[in-house]
Amino acid sequence: MNDVLRIFCAQPVEIGGELTPPSDKSITIRALILGALADGSTVVRNPLNALDTRSALLAMQLLGAGVYEREHDWTIIGGELHSPSGALDLGNSGTALRLLTGALAARSGVEVVLTGDTSLHSRPLGRIVDPLREMGADIEYLENEGRAPVRVRGKRLKGFRYELPVPSAQVKSALLLAGLGAEGTVEIIERTASRDHTERMLPAFSVSLEIDEGDGRRVLKVRGGEKPKCAEVVVPGDISAAFIWIVLGLLLSGEGLSIRDVGLNPTRLGALRVLDSAGARIVVQQEGAHGLEPFGIIAVHPSRLRRFRVDSGEIPSLIDEIPLLALAATQAEGESVIEGAAELKVKESDRLRTTAETLVAFGAQVELIDDVMRVSGPQRLHPAAVECAGDHRIAMLALACAMLAGGQSEIKGFSSADISYPGLVADADRLLTGAELAQGG
Ligand code: S3P
């Protein structure tokens, strides 16, 4: 088992070179689910091949979709789903669990138990199940109220109008997918924008989605009975996986970095906007779009950062980047504040706490009061032995801390990085000089 990463830095670590990050997790999972719902043969080009997306892929197969894997594309033959003989284990993937709960609740004739690992069982599902029940869904909690595992008995749902109480792309997407199998229209009102990959992907599957914007809100309308048709989806690189290199490219010395083929969906770029306000030298160049998803190159140059502030309205656009933004704050001049990030408490770990604990273990001073994190900088980090709470984003944070700290560090449970970034150590070996990484038992 490759569960401990030992890091030896004999000299200050430097960074430089070019990188294509792993493919986008959110887009891959959406393409797999829509591919299974759609009639015909959907090709997902350049999918993310990691633990979360493999959990989703296997679930599609067990639901009766044809699944054909080649190195750079996965084909899903969808349309005819049936009840699987056993439970669908979605591992650690909150996106797969929540989107599938919505999609299958509206699938008449399909009965399924959705389950996952201990972390997934601890994450709130009521935010999906409550509105789905308003639409008439038949969903039963099998162990704890508001948590997976659940039994979903698919049936025809009713349309409804729903204002999202939490800005969550997973909730929004689950309801849009449920809306495909509803009688009437599902109307979702969003006051704070969250990632809009589902909205951008639905037209590729021949589903028309109406979007009205104005008065500080977006209203999304999907008409029931629209049967998705197969599509080709090309997945760009994942900005959230690339973010470890963006932060290290700014904070370590060296020639800087060029990150290619990375997704540039504006609803995912909040952390770049924050770093820009802090004086980061980052150049973003859009090169094209895969369907409605823009992609391009991000060039990063070593920079001196000033303090920055993240307010609650910006959180959804940088939700997965907060651990590494907090690390950037330890190296920025002055006191940085990240506010309103309570959603992080219900991620793969209580990520506000695990972020603060990881930074503190590496010698940083961090103040965390409820959902407000304050970090003064610049601070000198020291090497540490840490554990990553089974959380892939904490594994990436710990690796980045170790690079800045120098000396010898140890990260236990590092294999959780495989949830979204299986090639992380290989990329680190290529981009960093002065650090030796050894993964072992
Ligand atoms: C995701 C949405 C976000 C994000 C998660 C992936 C998605 O969660 O944190 O990693 O693919 O829709 P929420 O929408 O629950 O904030």
Side-chain angles (χ1 to χ4, degrees):
M1 195 131 146
N2 291 331
D3 225 22
V4 182
L5 183 71
R6 295 188 176 81
I7 297 144
F8 310 89
C9 309
Q11 62 208 57
V13 179
E14 293 201 358
I15 191 163
E18 276 191 9
L19 162 92
T20 302
S23 298
D24 194 277
K25 175 161 77 74
S26 295
I27 296 177
T28 302
I29 294 174
R30 283 160 172 77
L32 296 177
I33 295 177
L34 275 165
L37 297 177
D39 281 332
S41 191
T42 289
V43 183
V44 186
R45 299 210 186 279
N46 200 27
L48 172 67
N49 190 357
L51 290 180
D52 265 11
T53 49
R54 294 210 72 81
S55 300
L57 184 70
L58 181 61
M60 297 312 116
Q61 198 165 24
L62 294 172
L63 281 164
V67 167
Y68 300 91
E69 280 184 57
R70 291 193 310 186
E71 198 186 336
H72 298 296
D73 50 64
W74 292 349
T75 299
I76 315 293
I77 301 177
E80 296 296 317
L81 301 187
H82 56 61
S83 308
S85 51
L88 296 187
D89 185 348
L90 300 164
N92 195 246
S93 177
T95 304
L97 170 69
R98 292 181 172 136
L99 271 56
L100 266 183
T101 303
L104 297 177
R107 197 79 188 185
S108 298
V110 175
E111 179 176 330
V112 61
V113 171
L114 301 175
T115 186
D117 65 13
T118 332
S119 153
L120 199 62
H121 285 186
S122 72
R123 299 180 63 187
L125 200 59
R127 53 178 62 190
I128 308 277
V129 172
D130 294 349
L132 286 172
R133 283 180 174 164
E134 274 185 50
M135 294 173 74
D138 180 352
I139 302 173
E140 184 191 345
Y141 294 117
L142 297 178
E143 286 173 14
N144 295 310
E145 192 62 21
R147 305 280 184 269
V150 282
R151 183 186 308 280
V152 180
R153 293 186 186 85
K155 58 186 277 224
R156 191 135 179 90
L157 304 181
K158 307 186 293 281
F160 79 149
R161 189 181 160 86
Y162 186 72
E163 178 158 344
L164 294 169
V166 272
S168 161
Q170 294 180 350
V171 177
K172 170 175 66 176
S173 303
L175 299 178
L176 287 174
L177 294 175
L180 297 178
E183 244 162 63
T185 303
V186 167
E187 217 175 295
I188 298 163
I189 301 152
E190 178 178 58
R191 296 222 172 252
T192 309
S194 60
R195 66 188 66 190
D196 63 358
H197 301 303
T198 307
E199 294 95 302
R200 286 172 191 252
M201 198 180 289
L202 281 172
F205 282 88
S206 308
V207 173
S208 44
L209 179 74
E210 206 183 302
I211 305 180
D212 296 327
E213 281 177 272
D215 285 346
R217 59 181 202 166
R218 279 169 95 224
V219 183
L220 312 172
K221 287 184 207 164
V222 70
R223 262 195 316 278
E226 283 215 48
K227 184 104 178 89
K229 292 191 192 67
C230 57
E232 179 179 327
V233 178
V234 184
V235 186
D238 197 322
I239 181 87
S240 301
F243 200 62
I244 179 172
W245 305 118
I246 294 174
V247 168
L248 286 177
L250 295 172
L251 301 182
L252 291 173
S253 51
E255 61 186 55
L257 281 177
S258 175
I259 303 170
R260 311 188 147 274
D261 294 327
V262 60
L264 296 177
N265 179 317
T267 61
R268 297 281 297 278
L269 300 186
L272 296 190
R273 293 189 282 270
V274 168
L275 288 173
D276 184 59
S277 76
R281 294 194 301 143
I282 297 177
V283 181
V284 179
Q285 193 191 330
Q286 187 181 329
E287 290 199 302
H290 297 312
L292 296 177
E293 292 286 354
F295 69 91
I297 300 183
I298 299 179
V300 185
H301 306 280
S303 306
R304 287 171 69 104
L305 300 183
R306 300 182 292 272
R307 71 194 165 110
F308 55 84
R309 196 183 164 83
V310 178
D311 293 316
S312 51
E314 295 169 284
I315 296 287
S317 68
L318 47 75
I319 183 87
D320 295 333
E321 285 65 76
I322 292 172
L324 284 157
L325 270 180
L327 171 63
T330 68
Q331 305 308 305
E333 187 79 44
E335 187 191 70
S336 296
V337 183
I338 299 174
E339 203 171 75
E343 269 300 299
L344 272 204
K345 295 184 185 176
V346 291
K347 291 293 174 192
E348 287 83 331
S349 65
D350 172 351
R351 210 176 263 164
L352 266 184
R353 182 176 56 75
T354 49
T355 294
E357 283 173 1
T358 305
L359 293 173
V360 167
F362 279 96
Q365 284 184 15
V366 177
E367 182 192 284
L368 178 62
I369 299 177
D370 192 23
D371 64 352
V372 182
M373 190 180 278
R374 287 174 198 280
V375 183
S376 293
Q379 304 186 31
R380 216 184 150 79
L381 302 185
H382 59 60
V386 293
E387 206 278 322
C388 30
D391 185 335
H392 55 135
R393 307 254 176 243
I394 298 301
M396 292 184 230
L397 170 66
L399 177 59
C401 289
M403 293 305 138
L404 286 168
Q408 295 188 17
S409 292
E410 192 177 286
I411 308 171
K412 293 201 184 73
F414 189 78
S415 63
S416 54
D418 295 350
I419 286 163
S420 62
Y421 199 155
L424 180 54
V425 171
D427 283 346
D429 280 336
R430 246 172 4 86
L431 296 172
L432 303 168
T433 45
E436 250 183 68
L437 277 64
Q439 207 168 356

